[in-house]
Amino acid sequence: MDKILLIEDTPEERKKLESAINQIINELSLEKQVELEILSKEGNEIDVLFPKGTDISKGTEALEDRLATYLNSRKDEIKLLVIDHDLSGFKNDKLSEPVISIASHSASIPLVRYARINRKTVDNLADAIDAGSEFSIKIDTNDEINAARKIINIYDGFSKIKTELNKIDKSIQNRGAHSILSAITNAKTQEDNFWMYVSGSGLLRELIELNGVMNSKGLSETKKEALIKDRLSYILGYWFYNIVLAFPGVILNKTATYSYLQIKEEDFDKYKENFKEAKYNGPFSLNEEFWWKESLDEILDNHDVETGFDLLQKNGVDIEKEDYGYYCIMTKKPISYEESKSLSWLPNGAILSRVSEELYEQYAPFFGEY
């Protein structure tokens, strides 16, 4: 049975999130696959769970290394860590977000960080800037049910990547992350597009470090292969979720999709069957919808139209056209080309990702464009 490990220092909030996560597990009929576990009720079990004197490779009794040892000992069970951004409520003040982040990265166990904040557009900008270098996923829990859906989707996405990676021929793995991802998503035609997301990201540094494991001595080939696949699925999961899916270009979220089709959200919801062949069904699509841009283009080409609006009109649907086409990474809303700006630091593949011209001018120093 897979475990999602929740670390929350406030009993009331822990109860809310625990209830929401269990509700979504039940809704998706995953009770026999995954369950929620609470690490420490009030933070007073830390030295029991991660005792000093443990034989660890780094030869240190720092809490992050003891925690990493604990997580490594339970890798067959623990598939996701979910933690509060602020853990100051623990009585002993030992367990913190940085400590857990270091340990989870060492153990190659994905980490979701959450906070109860009223998000602003500048927060979305900060997340976008950090996404390429962080090994964690940020969510907010103002809406516990929505947060729980994201958590279960993230768990499922990482699990699917690891499962599919084990099915991929070694020759494909050796070609790089873009080839692996195209194989995992069954999209061979997207290999070059995925490559545009690789260049310039922190993924390359991690893959270079992974090469050290591949060439290390003293490990059996079986053990070495297991370590590589474990680490690779961990790296790929973050890259895919935090970069490829976060910056629409190859795969489009719902907002980017109806924007690209130049129709309203409510019209897309009503008539999206017209675009069902473009639906993305790979990792991280358990309860969140995405579409392939290339497949949307094929649908439009096959009907000899330029936009989704044109296609629906051709099919006798009377709706209004929206002058969208792109996705603002700060507001997370549709935007037109004329009212937006491109950003030099966005992944090359994120061709539909832009930022509102008004916000661009307001936050120009953050963009480093001047």
Side-chain angles (χ1 to χ4, degrees), residues 61-322:
E61 293 189 342
L63 182 55
E64 57 265 31
D65 293 327
R66 289 151 54 200
L67 175 55
T69 299
Y70 172 80
L71 294 175
N72 271 306
S73 72
R74 298 190 60 197
K75 284 181 67 69
D76 291 340
E77 295 178 279
I78 300 173
K79 303 303 180 183
L80 184 70
L81 286 172
V82 179
I83 71 168
D84 187 359
H85 177 72
D86 178 9
L87 294 172
S88 59
F90 279 144
K91 295 176 181 178
N92 52 29
D93 294 326
K94 292 182 179 179
L95 206 56
S96 65
E97 179 196 340
V99 165
I100 298 170
S101 295
I102 292 170
S104 67
H105 188 59
S106 177
S108 299
I109 295 178
L111 174 68
V112 172
R113 297 184 293 148
Y114 64 84
R116 294 165 295 279
I117 60 174
N118 294 317
R119 298 191 64 80
K120 302 174 183 177
T121 53
V122 70
D123 295 319
N124 294 330
L125 170 61
D127 289 350
I129 293 172
D130 292 341
S133 59
E134 287 192 342
F135 282 89
S136 67
I137 294 172
K138 296 179 182 178
I139 65 172
D140 69 72
T141 54
N142 283 316
D143 182 337
E144 288 88 3
I145 294 299
N146 185 52
R149 287 197 180 97
K150 287 183 178 293
I151 288 167
I152 298 303
N153 190 40
I154 292 165
Y155 151 76
D156 184 73
F158 274 94
S159 295
K160 283 180 177 174
I161 286 176
K162 190 168 187 177
T163 298
E164 294 303 314
L165 181 61
N166 286 320
K167 300 176 183 177
I168 294 174
D169 187 84
K170 200 166 186 177
S171 62
I172 295 177
Q173 294 183 37
N174 292 339
R175 289 171 60 183
H178 59 301
S179 297
I180 296 171
L181 190 53
S182 66
I184 287 175
T185 57
N186 195 28
K188 293 294 293 180
T189 61
Q190 298 304 310
E191 191 168 326
D192 289 342
N193 289 329
F194 283 139
W195 167 248
M196 291 194 294
Y197 278 88
V198 177
S199 56
S201 76
L203 175 72
L204 291 178
R205 178 177 57 81
E206 287 293 328
L207 291 176
I208 291 171
E209 291 181 3
L210 183 60
N211 188 59
V213 176
M214 297 171 67
N215 297 323
S216 61
K217 299 179 180 179
L219 288 176
S220 67
E221 287 303 315
T222 301
K223 181 67 173 177
K224 189 183 297 184
E225 185 173 350
L227 285 172
I228 291 170
K229 287 185 176 180
D230 193 47
R231 192 66 175 177
L232 190 54
S233 64
Y234 169 84
I235 296 168
L236 284 172
Y238 279 124
W239 172 60
F240 192 28
Y241 191 89
N242 280 343
I243 301 177
V244 177
L245 295 182
F247 300 118
V250 177
I251 301 174
L252 314 184
N253 59 38
K254 179 184 174 182
T255 303
T257 301
Y258 70 76
S259 175
Y260 184 63
L261 295 173
Q262 297 190 26
I263 59 179
K264 293 180 179 179
E265 180 179 9
E266 55 265 34
D267 291 328
F268 179 69
D269 287 337
K270 192 172 182 179
Y271 301 109
K272 63 184 176 184
E273 278 295 304
N274 291 271
F275 311 101
K276 62 182 179 181
E277 291 85 0
K279 190 78 177 293
Y280 166 79
N281 295 306
F284 303 109
S285 65
L286 178 66
N287 53 30
E288 188 171 353
E289 295 182 315
F290 296 94
W291 283 262
W292 291 102
K293 179 184 178 297
E294 183 180 82
S295 297
L296 289 171
D297 289 338
E298 288 176 358
I299 292 172
L300 299 179
D301 288 343
N302 289 339
H303 288 84
D304 195 26
V305 295
E306 293 186 1
T307 69
F309 166 79
D310 296 332
L311 173 59
L312 293 180
Q313 272 213 324
K314 191 173 183 179
N315 291 342
V317 177
D318 185 19
I319 59 172
E320 294 181 6
K321 184 177 182 179
E322 293 295 330

